[in-house]
Amino acid sequence: MDAVRGPVLRISSAQLARNITAVQTRIAPSQLMLVMKDDAYGHGLEEMVDASMAAPAPVAMYGGYDVPTSLRIRARVGAGARVFAWASSDADAVSAALESDIDLGVGTAAYLRRVIEAASKTGIRARVHLKIDTGLHRNGFRAEEWADAVTEVTDAERAGLIELAGVWSHLAEASDAEDDEAARAFATAVDVVRKAGGDPSALHLTASAASWWRPELRGTISRIGAFCYGIRSADGPAIPGTLPIATLEAHVVDVRGDDVVIGAGWLHGIPSTLTGMPVGTQAGATEVLHIDATTMVVRSWAGASIGDPVRLFGAGEWGESDATALAERIDTVGEEILTRVSPLVPRRYS
Ligand SMILES: *Cc1c(COP(=O)(O)O)cnc(C)c1O
């Protein structure tokens, strides 16, 4: 007899490619930067790079967040594709990034100097995307610091140490009015760069939701993670042409009268506060009554038997919710449900 089977995260590489195509079609002529932080939102970075390369149109740029992730992307995607790392990093990481042809997002004066020093030390011109803070206050030069930053960058560009490849920012996506104001601040910042003689080809401001719904805010590049993995926004509609690529599947381990025990629990990353959620079976949806460490109890259905597969979240074929619907129950976002799935849960790719 097999030991009790644990849950499995089934991931469709073909669906990732289809989602990428749907996103590319929607945002054109803006180009896709596929964001891959947090191990590609829990889906597995290397496998998702491979899957992205099967899309009919190439992904223009990959977003790695930090340098280690970006180096993993570079190792998988090969030379040629653009890879963007925007977390401020130490001098060794910056040198490693330059040696692997990684574009760097720069949003503070101290980091700008570190990048210029690394370029001068390695003899490799740094491709820099300068970040303007347009209201989120997370990182990025403030409006009053911008002119000085631009001067420093254009000087370094003339000295051959930097190529000013882009200007970027991040939207709050709290309200359209705030995002409009951020877009105006962004346009002003780009003007300052152009007046100083800079000619950045990559302008990027929007992530999934604004890239999809606010075409007037799209730059030449759109940084998109969630919608490519088929994760819609909390309280937002399904995204036409896309589907969730991941299904969390577990199995019936016991049937006790009206209770059916499933072999997955909060140790696998299912928040115990999701009691009441629907899960999918081959006979349709049923309800979760209780979530323990390694098991959960769901309401029985006709013919339930040990070994039957149950879908805890997925694309909805068996009546299960998508990850975002689970997230909405506990006031978070679908990304959190995916990234919480324990690394102990094997990922199976098809
Ligand atoms: C995570 C992230 C994105 C992607 O956001 P999604 O909503 O998943 O598309 C874009 N830009 C930055 C700076 C991010 O950190």
Side-chain angles (χ1 to χ4, degrees):
M1 254 320 266
D2 282 347
V4 171
R5 271 190 290 178
V8 174
L9 190 65
R10 297 195 182 282
I11 296 164
S12 168
S13 300
Q15 190 61 51
L16 179 84
R18 286 191 286 270
N19 291 351
I20 284 173
T21 299
V23 166
Q24 287 171 324
T25 305
R26 174 82 175 192
I27 67 175
S30 182
Q31 292 201 301
L32 172 64
M33 180 193 301
L34 177 61
V35 175
M36 310 202 85
K37 63 187 179 223
D38 296 322
D39 202 30
Y41 294 42
H43 294 82
L45 182 110
E46 277 75 16
E47 291 83 355
M48 292 299 95
V49 171
D50 291 352
S52 76
M53 290 196 282
V59 168
M61 197 178 284
Y62 291 85
Y65 173 61
D66 55 13
V67 169
T69 304
S70 301
L71 295 176
R72 281 171 63 195
I73 297 171
R74 170 63 73 218
R76 201 71 177 195
V77 79
R82 297 253 60 95
V83 182
F84 179 56
W86 63 92
S88 296
S89 309
D90 66 23
D92 288 345
V94 172
S95 296
L98 296 184
E99 274 152 16
S100 286
D101 194 24
I102 309 288
D103 289 28
L104 295 169
V106 175
T108 68
Y111 192 43
L112 179 56
R113 271 171 220 134
R114 199 174 308 145
V115 169
I116 291 172
E117 263 168 41
S120 134
K121 202 177 99 193
T122 57
I124 302 168
R125 196 142 73 129
R127 289 174 52 91
V128 164
H129 300 227
L130 211 55
K131 185 175 186 189
I132 176 80
D133 175 13
T134 51
L136 203 54
H137 304 312
R138 214 186 259 174
N139 173 278
F141 291 97
R142 302 285 159 86
E144 62 273 18
E145 303 168 325
W146 187 248
D148 286 348
V150 169
T151 305
E152 198 161 344
V153 165
T154 43
D155 287 351
E157 198 165 31
R158 272 180 219 112
L161 295 170
I162 274 187
E163 176 186 343
L164 180 55
V167 175
W168 69 293
S169 190
H170 198 45
L171 292 174
E173 292 189 346
S175 74
D176 281 0
E178 271 175 74
D179 289 350
D180 288 340
E181 200 177 311
R184 281 191 291 274
F186 186 72
T188 304
V190 173
D191 277 348
V192 170
V193 170
R194 295 222 166 101
K195 286 198 181 107
D199 185 24
S201 58
L203 304 177
H204 44 112
L205 181 61
T206 54
S208 285
S211 298
W212 192 274
W213 301 113
R214 306 283 323 270
E216 66 282 12
L217 302 187
R218 281 178 211 138
T220 61
I221 293 177
S222 302
R223 299 184 309 268
I224 299 182
F227 287 8
C228 288
Y229 304 104
I231 304 170
R232 65 183 168 86
S233 307
D235 303 314
I239 300 303
T242 73
L243 281 174
I245 68 168
T247 299
L248 184 59
E249 189 177 288
H251 296 88
V252 174
V253 296
D254 200 6
V255 180
R256 303 185 203 131
D258 279 349
D259 288 352
V260 171
V261 184
I262 310 295
W266 53 257
L267 271 180
H268 302 111
I270 322 289
S272 60
T273 46
L274 283 174
T275 300
M277 74 180 187
V279 296
T281 77
Q282 279 161 314
T286 188
E287 186 193 357
V288 174
L289 303 174
H290 187 76
I291 301 176
D292 275 319
T294 58
T295 57
M296 65 176 74
V297 175
V298 309
R299 200 180 301 288
S300 188
W301 62 93
S305 49
I306 291 176
D308 284 355
V310 174
R311 293 182 178 173
L312 306 185
F313 62 74
E317 264 175 30
W318 292 1
E320 75 278 12
S321 297
D322 65 8
T324 299
L326 303 190
E328 286 163 351
R329 286 176 167 261
I330 54 173
D331 268 330
T332 180
V333 292
E335 293 90 314
E336 183 173 338
I337 301 293
L338 261 309
T339 54
R340 269 183 188 234
V341 174
S342 163
L344 299 175
V345 173
R347 272 67 172 162
R348 295 275 149 71
Y349 298 91
S350 59

